[in-house]
Amino acid sequence: MGTMLQSAGLPSDAPPELWNIEAPDIIEGIHKRYVESGAQILTTNTFGASEVKLSQFGLSHRQEAIISSAVKIAKNAAKDENVAVAGDIGPLGVFLQPFGEFSFDEAYEQFFKYAKLLASSGCDIILIETMTDLLEMKAAYLAAKDATDLPIITTFSFDEGDRSVTGTPADVFAVVADAMNIDAIGTNCGKGIEPVVNAISIMRQFSEKILVAQPNAGSPEVIDGKTIFPATPDDMSEAAVRLRESGANIIGSCCGSTPEHTAKIADAVRGKPVVKREDGEKYFFAASRTNLLKISRELPVVLVGERINPSGRKKFREKLRMGDIGAVKLEAVRQMEADALDVCVSAPGVDEKSILPEAISAVSAVSEKPLFIDSTTPDVIVESMKRYAGLPIINSISAKSSDIENLLPIAHRWGANFVALAIDDDGIAENAVEVLKKIEKILRAADDVGILKNRIIADPVMLPVSASKRTGETIIALGEIFKKLGLETIIGLSNVSYGMPARSFLNAAMLANAIGAGLSAVIADPTDRRIIETIYASQVLFSRDIKGKYFIEKFSNIKKDDEEEVFSETLRDDILRGNSDWVPKHIDEELKNLGDPLRVMNEIVIPAIQHIGELYEQRKIFLPQVIASAEATAKALEILRPKMPKGKGNKGKVLLATVYGDVHDIGKNLVRALFESYGFVVVDVGKNVKSEKIIEALKVEKFDIVGLSALMTTTLSSLRQTVKDIKKEFGDEFKIIVGGAAVTEELAEEIGVYYAKDAIEAAKIGRKLIENK
């Protein structure tokens, strides 16, 4: 639609949605051309019709009129042609907390109104598209589901090739979306055809849902000053064949495509049988925003870190009472040996409803490991879900009637997997037979609400050996749960040694026996070396590590005890892990050590954020971690700058703006954070900014660098004009850096400015320009 509107003369500073009211004939003509080309689903011209996006153009009060007109136009074009109309919902253009200003609930309200208006206007399908953040996708889907009974399609954009800009790969998206039971899932936009083919192929391995594929017409190129999408209709035809073979059910196209592309796609695949998957992945899954974890007795034992838990830990409990989330982050990064982390803050005097969601956000920011949300309080679990982007595991849901009534619906709504705990209203099971009965009770109740068996992992309940003789029955139950119920198993290991001396020995002995019985996962202390050794050794002995591959990798270059790496707690660690809470304390320590705030900045702060940039370029970390580190750095500079001699500590001054016609500022805001992290003073004049306003700001204050952002191809002409106006007014007085999804290196070269492919590179270029100056 954007491509066609551009060619129809849409001004670069006008929102496409406004033409639903001001130029309805043009919109309907475009729809009709697609119908004539063979399209069976039309997408309404409402991609940017959320209240928050329309408000950037002063049009939020016309949202209802814009949406109802858009649906009416598409319905008119589709009538008598057996063509469906999909009400289009695009992203809000803001980051959700903790990386942005929008809360989950605020996003939900935006999407609820958006979907309600589309449905009441008469569309047949809701299409949530071009999502890059799993948390925003969840808010959009749940809102649409609550607002309407229409079928819902949700597609993700992997604009970093095999991952989204927030680091999510196709397998994680597929598993999360499948668990939420979305009607149809898929991918659109991105960097051309090949990434979409690859993503569909991966998704088909993890979901039996209807898959939707809408690639761009290749990756955009700038030729003679114009943005061109190079894929021809024949290229898209060939791609459609491969997409069908990869498992797609519904095939279309995105940016740069035309009715001619659609005609070729229709000729190639319309009406052909769908390719079904043969051997899909059927494991019990956990997932963070960036990583998928498979849990199975056929694979190595999964270690779930237990240390974020106040039970029996007085100092940690006191920190939680005081709201010290920094202590939670520290425990998260200490558990490097774990595969996943259990997060529990329940203790007398701790406000669990407030602290657990904050803890989930904090741990997600410093660790890529999947999380177990350890609570049995319904409203606490729900609030925590709103902070977790991945596939969460609820730890736990028992067979008690209250849990079945209150917690199973939460797991179903939020697409959460869960630990089934062998306890019911009559208490803890006495033997293996009773364990199975209690777990079966949970299975039946889960089935009643629509939760599949492969989303449940069973815990037979580990009792202290000091107070119970049931340990042998627990071992038996581990084998019987899989044999008779087909479930993976997990235990809370440390319970077995409660009240005993030399607990590590007992824990290790129990763990070895449990692995021998087929244990799939264990909640234990990953900082206990004996636990790590027992897991790796037992896996070899019980054929979970064929030929000792993992054992050899782990221990072939083992260090002596006195050579063990010591976990450090410094200002550098705070920046690398995004731990803003402890920055003030560690700055005081560094000031005592170095005696000079300028040295602290130049020797610790700046090198640390530079290292973050290197990790990002190597794709070892992703946007959320960069943002967290930038926030920690900004906190450090906020404290250090007032302590520096006048004129010291400022690397230069930068003016930032998103050009006129473009209301997106996520990328620009990240650029700002990174520039500030490098010691620059930044003046941000906002988004949708006319060149006159930028020139006025440049006259008022002295700047070294101007940074301009453009996300949409429709605003590239505005970017060109802004650069031209600045150069006309000031000549080469300022170094200009441009960036954004629509901007290319070729375009930057053409207009005589510097190009930054991302925020990290923008800050590095800025630093280099100042050094050269």
Side-chain angles (χ1 to χ4, degrees):
M1 179 59 74
T3 300
M4 298 298 291
L5 289 177
Q6 263 188 287
S7 63
L10 177 74
S12 61
D13 60 345
E17 294 75 19
L18 187 58
W19 272 23
N20 295 330
I21 296 172
E22 296 187 347
D25 292 344
I26 292 177
I27 304 296
E28 186 169 344
I30 291 170
H31 283 315
K32 284 181 176 178
R33 284 184 62 189
Y34 277 103
V35 171
E36 291 164 1
S37 297
Q40 295 165 291
I41 300 175
L42 293 179
T43 304
T44 58
N45 181 35
T46 54
F47 179 79
S50 63
E51 195 170 37
V52 66
K53 272 197 171 180
L54 289 175
S55 68
Q56 306 301 324
F57 298 95
L59 294 172
S60 58
H61 65 291
R62 303 185 73 180
Q63 184 188 28
E64 183 174 356
I66 286 170
I67 289 176
S68 62
S69 179
V71 176
K72 181 181 178 181
I73 292 167
K75 296 283 280 187
N76 285 342
K79 66 182 180 181
D80 303 325
E81 297 290 346
N82 194 29
V83 172
V85 171
D88 194 22
I89 292 179
L92 300 178
V94 295
F95 269 128
L96 269 60
Q97 294 173 347
F99 306 116
E101 65 273 22
F102 250 61
S103 70
F104 185 96
D105 289 338
E106 287 172 323
Y108 173 93
E109 291 301 324
Q110 287 277 331
F111 286 122
F112 183 90
K113 186 176 181 183
Y114 204 162
K116 192 78 172 176
L117 287 171
L118 285 165
S120 62
S121 298
C123 65
D124 307 299
I125 301 164
I126 296 293
L127 170 62
I128 300 166
E129 64 157 310
T130 325
M131 290 286 154
T132 58
D133 176 8
L134 283 174
L135 208 52
E136 185 178 16
M137 182 272 285
K138 291 181 183 183
Y141 170 68
L142 290 174
K145 184 180 178 182
D146 292 344
T148 173
D149 294 327
L150 296 176
I152 300 171
I153 298 172
T154 301
T155 61
F156 220 64
S157 180
F158 301 99
D159 41 12
E160 292 296 312
D162 60 345
R163 290 178 182 264
S164 74
V165 70
T166 56
T168 300
D171 56 357
V172 169
F173 165 72
V175 166
V176 170
D178 190 89
M180 295 190 78
N181 201 30
I182 300 173
D183 299 296
I185 65 175
T187 180
N188 76 292
C189 209
K191 291 190 173 180
I193 294 169
E194 210 58 41
V196 171
V197 175
N198 293 337
I200 289 295
S201 180
I202 292 168
M203 287 184 201
R204 184 48 79 206
Q205 290 302 308
F206 291 90
S207 178
E208 295 178 354
K209 295 289 183 185
I210 293 169
L211 292 187
V212 181
Q214 292 184 267
N216 289 343
S219 295
E221 302 170 0
V222 177
I223 301 173
D224 297 330
K226 294 183 178 180
T227 303
I228 304 297
F229 287 84
T232 66
D234 285 333
D235 292 333
M236 294 294 271
S237 171
E238 185 271 336
V241 172
R242 291 195 291 136
L243 286 165
R244 186 188 76 85
E245 292 169 349
S246 298
N249 306 83
I250 298 174
I251 299 173
S253 53
C254 201
C255 303
S257 59
T258 65
E260 288 72 29
H261 291 83
T262 295
K264 286 289 188 178
I265 291 170
D267 288 343
V269 298
R270 184 169 177 171
K272 298 210 171 158
V274 172
V275 177
K276 299 185 181 296
R277 75 173 183 179
E278 296 176 2
D279 299 312
E281 303 277 4
K282 282 289 190 182
Y283 298 105
F284 178 90
F285 294 114
S288 65
R289 185 192 297 270
T290 56
N291 290 333
L292 182 66
L293 180 64
K294 303 172 185 177
I295 300 179
S296 169
R297 70 194 330 256
E298 298 173 357
L299 300 172
V301 176
V302 165
L303 174 57
V304 182
E306 70 175 9
R307 293 185 58 85
I308 305 174
N309 192 320
S311 178
R313 303 178 63 198
K314 186 177 179 181
K315 288 184 179 179
F316 186 61
R317 184 165 62 247
E318 287 304 315
K319 288 180 178 179
L320 290 178
R321 284 176 181 162
M322 295 168 61
D324 184 355
I325 299 300
V328 174
K329 291 181 179 178
L330 191 59
E331 287 297 350
V333 298
R334 277 177 168 159
Q335 300 182 86
M336 291 178 287
E337 293 275 10
D339 302 299
L341 300 175
D342 185 82
V343 184
C344 175
V345 300
S346 178
V350 176
D351 182 0
E352 188 186 21
K353 188 174 181 179
S354 170
I355 296 297
L356 186 58
E358 290 295 326
I360 294 296
S361 288
V363 175
S364 297
V366 299
S367 173
E368 296 181 8
K369 302 181 190 302
L371 302 186
F372 283 52
I373 297 175
D374 196 334
S375 177
T376 56
T377 307
D379 58 345
V380 171
I381 293 172
V382 168
E383 291 306 309
S384 299
M385 295 286 191
K386 295 175 183 177
R387 302 296 188 93
Y388 191 60
L391 174 64
I393 312 298
I394 298 174
N395 186 18
S396 56
I397 300 178
S398 73
K400 292 179 180 178
S401 54
S402 58
D403 279 12
I404 286 172
E405 180 181 348
N406 299 319
L407 300 186
L408 281 179
I410 293 173
H412 180 257
R413 173 176 172 79
W414 289 87
N417 292 353
F418 69 90
V419 176
L421 195 66
I423 299 175
D424 62 12
D425 295 321
D426 295 326
I428 298 173
E430 294 290 330
N431 52 52
V433 173
E434 288 189 16
V435 167
L436 260 66
K437 287 181 179 179
K438 295 179 191 298
I439 298 296
E440 281 181 312
K441 187 176 180 181
I442 300 171
L443 281 178
R444 288 193 298 271
D447 185 63
D448 288 342
V449 299
I451 298 175
L452 300 177
K453 190 166 68 172
N454 69 319
R455 291 178 49 204
I456 303 169
I457 189 168
D459 183 349
V461 183
M462 178 63 65
L463 296 176
V465 70
S466 59
S468 171
K469 297 179 180 179
R470 207 201 71 170
T471 307
E473 289 293 316
T474 302
I475 297 294
I476 294 170
L478 290 172
E480 291 296 295
I481 287 170
F482 181 79
K483 181 180 177 182
K484 295 184 176 177
L485 303 180
L487 296 181
E488 304 299 341
T489 54
I490 188 170
I491 56 171
L493 182 65
S494 297
N495 290 343
V496 74
S497 62
Y498 182 78
M500 297 291 284
R503 295 184 65 182
S504 180
F505 291 104
L506 285 171
N507 291 342
M510 179 65 203
L511 179 56
N513 279 276
I515 293 173
L519 181 71
S520 310
V522 59
I523 303 173
D525 183 356
T527 66
D528 183 345
R529 183 165 175 173
R530 189 170 284 111
I531 295 299
I532 303 299
E533 292 168 344
T534 300
I535 288 175
Y536 279 88
S538 297
Q539 288 174 167
V540 176
L541 297 177
F542 295 107
S543 301
R544 303 276 284 276
D545 180 7
I546 305 302
K547 297 183 180 179
K549 175 187 173 184
Y550 300 110
F551 185 87
I552 293 168
E553 287 177 359
K554 180 69 178 175
F555 298 115
S556 58
N557 294 310
I558 193 167
K559 297 179 180 180
K560 296 178 182 178
D561 288 343
D562 59 356
E563 294 177 340
E564 284 290 300
E565 293 182 8
V566 178
F567 181 85
S568 58
E569 300 169 16
T570 65
L571 178 59
R572 184 176 187 275
D573 296 322
D574 294 337
I575 293 170
L576 294 181
R577 294 168 184 137
N579 195 351
S580 303
D581 305 274
W582 285 24
V583 165
K585 173 190 173 186
H586 290 141
I587 278 185
D588 288 342
E589 293 175 359
E590 297 297 352
L591 285 172
K592 289 177 184 176
N593 292 335
L594 297 176
D596 181 358
L598 197 58
R599 285 187 65 191
V600 174
M601 186 176 84
N602 290 334
E603 296 177 22
I604 298 174
V605 176
I606 299 300
I609 198 66
Q610 288 174 351
H611 185 58
I612 285 293
E614 292 165 4
L615 294 175
Y616 180 74
E617 289 176 345
Q618 296 163 13
R619 303 191 73 191
K620 292 182 178 178
I621 62 171
F622 301 97
L623 202 56
Q625 292 97 322
V626 173
I627 293 171
S629 292
E631 288 174 348
T633 306
K635 181 77 171 178
L637 294 178
E638 181 186 324
I639 297 169
L640 288 171
R641 277 200 177 114
K643 301 178 185 294
M644 294 179 188
K646 190 173 182 180
K648 297 289 185 180
N650 291 337
K651 299 297 183 183
K653 199 166 187 178
V654 183
L655 181 141
L656 294 180
T658 302
V659 298
Y660 188 54
D662 200 322
V663 297
H664 300 86
D665 65 356
I666 290 177
K668 173 181 63 62
N669 292 344
L670 182 57
V671 170
R672 174 178 180 163
L674 266 295
F675 265 115
E676 290 176 339
S677 300
Y678 275 59
F680 286 86
V681 173
V682 179
V683 175
D684 184 349
V685 293
K687 53 194 174 184
N688 193 26
V689 183
K690 292 184 177 180
S691 60
E692 294 88 343
K693 183 178 178 181
I694 294 172
I695 289 170
E696 183 182 331
L698 291 171
K699 288 179 177 178
V700 173
E701 298 182 59
K702 182 174 176 58
F703 290 91
D704 301 290
I705 294 169
V706 176
L708 301 174
S709 171
L711 179 77
M712 303 183 297
T713 56
T714 53
T715 57
L716 290 181
S717 59
S718 178
L719 176 66
R720 284 194 187 90
Q721 188 61 48
T722 301
V723 170
K724 183 178 178 181
D725 291 346
I726 292 172
K727 289 193 171 189
K728 181 180 179 181
E729 185 73 30
F730 300 102
D732 294 326
E733 181 179 343
F734 306 108
K735 303 297 184 183
I736 302 175
I737 305 172
V738 298
V743 183
T744 64
E745 191 168 4
E746 291 78 12
L747 173 63
E749 187 176 338
E750 175 200 326
I751 59 179
V753 296
Y754 294 91
Y755 167 73
K757 69 178 187 294
D758 53 42
I760 293 286
E761 187 169 81
K764 287 172 69 175
I765 291 171
R767 191 170 121 263
K768 193 171 182 179
L769 289 172
I770 294 298
E771 287 174 355
N772 291 341
K773 183 179 178 182

